[in-house]
Amino acid sequence: MTSSLTAAPFTPSAPDAQARAETKTAGRIGFVHQNDVFGMQGGIERYVSTILSFAGGRAALASPPVSRGGAPHFAAPVRGPEAAPQWLRFLLGLFARRRAFRAWLKAEAIGVLDYSRPEYALLAWMFPGKRVFTIHGTGPGPGHRAHRLLHDACCFLLPLLADRVQVVGRDPSGLPRPVRALLGARLVHIDAWHDECFAPRPLPPTDGALKVFYAGRLAAQKNPELLFEILREAERTAPGAFEFHYFGSDYAAFVQAGLGDAVHDHGFLGPQALAEAIGACHFGLLCSAYGEGSPYILIESLACGRPFVVSALPTLTAAYEGKIGVRFVARQAAADFVAAMLDLARSIREGALDPDAVAAQVRAQAQSRAVPALLDALSRLEAPRPC
């Protein structure tokens, strides 16, 4: 079921003049990532593209040639068989152009490199500058044993190579416990941020079905089979109680599951359109099974004053336990999610949730504050240490 809302690629908005004025000038930071980061819905890509949009000349990007944007860009073509993982093909391409990459780092005066996964430690030692490794989520999940072993093995290189290791979210299990101990104060946690266009809006009328949205990818870690079963369970046990909306690029998965007519598809929305679409709904749903770091959609929904029903994953409970409007579901079972949705629906109908109070909890995580602060922290790594 398609919607009349216009889909648009994600392009992070630039900070306002005051935020730019407050951003300190410092050494340039290079971000190294295996995928295109512009117009993509993945959390890693949004992390990088948002920072680049705020950097004001302080950042650069090394990625495959498809990436684009205003920041200086080093194109490392992927190499190797197509069946190989994308990160490995990118690493092989970067290795093939290692001399050109070193020259580019020097020409662009890049003093800090932020690598988007621990596997890049296999090559990072070859390049000058301070090294940052960013762990998004909790690493490879169940069913990826070989990848997990490689991931953990590369993590053991980080205490030797890294000047800073950032975990996106509050769950450090993406790093083996001995690595965490060896890193000590070099290990820090960061949370997602939200664009200022995500602001509280009055709730829609509640005299009919409540509008529930799901946004983003339908990758394995997001538990799409459970999501489909939640939709079926809601129709079986609470017919007419909910109207489901999808914001993302994977609507075909609903069609393949026989649920195309049960979901209003809005496509992949840019920030302003996504904020408006969230504001037209009553609450959000996320039933991930593993691997979450700090989901953008969760903080964006709260910034709009919209509550959320979400899996009780450790990183999410650590960040949002006790927050107004966040309902955790401990068991990965459709009936439990529907029960939580019905309970939240009752609270909304009774007027027990104030959108302004929900939004006030995440005001400090506006990206005009959070992103310049992160840039400053990364830039300080390059500053000479006192004798």
Side-chain angles (χ1 to χ4, degrees):
M1 184 185 300
T2 58
S3 165
S4 60
L5 280 177
T6 302
F10 178 85
T11 304
S13 64
D16 56 29
Q18 181 179 355
R20 283 193 182 277
E22 291 172 355
T23 301
K24 302 172 184 176
T25 57
R28 184 170 281 166
I29 304 153
F31 292 86
V32 183
H33 185 52
Q34 70 203 41
N35 297 325
D36 186 5
V37 302
F38 297 99
M40 309 302 284
Q41 63 183 356
I44 302 174
E45 289 72 30
R46 294 186 64 183
Y47 165 84
V48 176
S49 61
T50 304
I51 292 176
L52 291 172
S53 76
F54 270 77
R58 295 172 58 186
L61 174 66
S63 72
V66 290
S67 280
R68 59 210 180 276
H73 180 227
F74 180 84
V78 294
R79 298 287 179 88
E82 292 188 6
Q86 176 72 0
W87 69 264
L88 179 57
R89 299 180 71 215
F90 172 63
L91 209 60
L92 291 172
L94 195 60
F95 178 75
R97 298 202 64 203
R98 60 192 180 279
R99 291 183 181 86
F101 186 48
R102 288 195 202 99
W104 179 79
L105 293 174
K106 183 177 180 180
E108 297 295 340
I110 294 170
V112 179
L113 282 168
D114 184 339
Y115 297 93
S116 66
R117 57 192 308 143
E119 290 88 343
Y120 292 164
L122 295 171
L123 199 64
W125 60 272
M126 301 181 67
F127 304 121
K130 300 295 184 179
R131 303 183 188 100
V132 178
F133 291 85
T134 301
I135 311 295
H136 298 264
T138 55
H144 299 87
R145 180 171 174 77
H147 188 188
R148 184 74 209 199
L149 289 172
L150 176 61
H151 171 98
D152 287 354
C154 290
C155 284
F156 276 94
L157 297 174
L158 301 186
L160 301 174
L161 295 174
D163 295 280
R164 175 180 167 110
V165 174
Q166 302 177 153
V167 173
V168 179
R170 308 293 180 87
D171 184 355
S173 61
L175 293 164
R177 194 179 297 274
V179 172
R180 293 177 234 163
L182 290 168
L183 287 170
R186 287 179 288 166
L187 176 60
V188 298
H189 292 265
I190 59 175
D191 290 313
W193 43 73
H194 62 85
D195 191 300
E196 274 72 7
C197 68
F198 294 91
R201 294 161 167 79
L203 284 161
T206 58
D207 52 352
L210 293 198
K211 297 178 180 179
V212 183
F213 72 87
Y214 180 94
R217 299 177 300 141
L218 287 177
Q221 73 185 73
K222 304 294 183 179
N223 214 351
E225 293 304 323
L226 175 58
L227 176 63
F228 301 152
E229 189 54 36
I230 291 169
L231 269 63
R232 298 185 186 108
E233 179 72 11
E235 183 56 33
R236 281 196 300 266
T237 60
F242 304 110
E243 180 181 292
F244 291 96
H245 295 256
Y246 175 62
F247 313 138
S249 303
D250 297 335
Y251 173 67
F254 290 98
V255 176
Q256 292 171 2
L259 293 165
D261 291 337
V263 179
H264 295 264
D265 175 38
H266 299 271
F268 185 23
L269 305 177
Q272 185 63 52
L274 179 59
E276 293 171 2
I278 290 174
C281 294
H282 293 91
F283 63 91
L285 171 65
L286 186 67
C287 56
S288 299
Y290 63 90
E292 288 291 358
S294 183
Y296 280 93
I297 191 59
L298 182 48
I299 195 166
E300 287 166 347
S301 179
L302 295 177
C304 288
R306 295 298 178 266
F308 226 95
V309 172
V310 62
S311 302
L313 300 180
T315 189
L316 301 180
T317 55
Y320 294 102
E321 189 79 69
K323 288 259 193 290
I324 302 169
V326 181
R327 303 294 176 92
F328 289 108
V329 181
R331 204 163 61 100
Q332 295 278 301
D336 289 20
F337 273 88
V338 173
M341 291 162 59
L342 289 170
D343 182 63
L344 180 55
R346 279 191 291 273
S347 296
I348 291 173
R349 292 185 190 281
E350 292 168 0
L353 283 171
D354 175 14
D356 289 319
V358 172
Q361 303 171 109
V362 296
R363 196 166 291 139
Q365 289 169 256
Q367 65 186 23
S368 62
R369 299 183 187 182
V371 177
L374 177 57
L375 281 165
D376 287 344
L378 295 178
S379 294
R380 281 195 294 272
L381 292 174
E382 192 184 12
R385 291 173 180 156
C387 298

